[in-house]
Amino acid sequence: MSEAKELDLVWGVQAIADIIGRSYQQTYHMIAGGKLPMVKQIGERYVVSRSKLIAFFMEDDAA
């Protein structure tokens, strides 16, 4: 199994937006504004662990 598959990385604003159910622009502003602290910028692209992203929203849901 490849390391990237084990990490289950999601690359790019649009892919992240698709997971959280927001538009590209909404997601970009959330990332740029620090509202999604688990998203990292690598070069000109953004990347996040799918499990960390989902866990972040599940925590907020439970609160």
Side-chain angles (χ1 to χ4, degrees), residues 3-60:
E3 186 175 330
K5 191 168 189 162
E6 288 177 20
L7 295 175
D8 197 18
L9 298 177
V10 178
W11 286 90
V13 176
Q14 187 60 59
I16 296 167
D18 292 343
I19 292 172
I20 65 172
R22 296 289 178 227
S23 71
Y24 178 97
Q25 197 66 25
Q26 289 170 322
T27 304
Y28 179 81
H29 284 293
M30 290 174 75
I31 294 168
K35 304 289 188 202
L36 299 175
M38 75 293 303
V39 177
K40 305 292 182 199
Q41 186 170 8
I42 307 295
E44 295 183 9
R45 297 197 63 200
Y46 291 96
V47 64
V48 66
S49 163
R50 180 185 304 270
S51 60
K52 286 183 181 180
L53 184 63
I54 291 170
F56 175 76
F57 283 99
M58 295 307 287
E59 285 179 13
D60 287 348

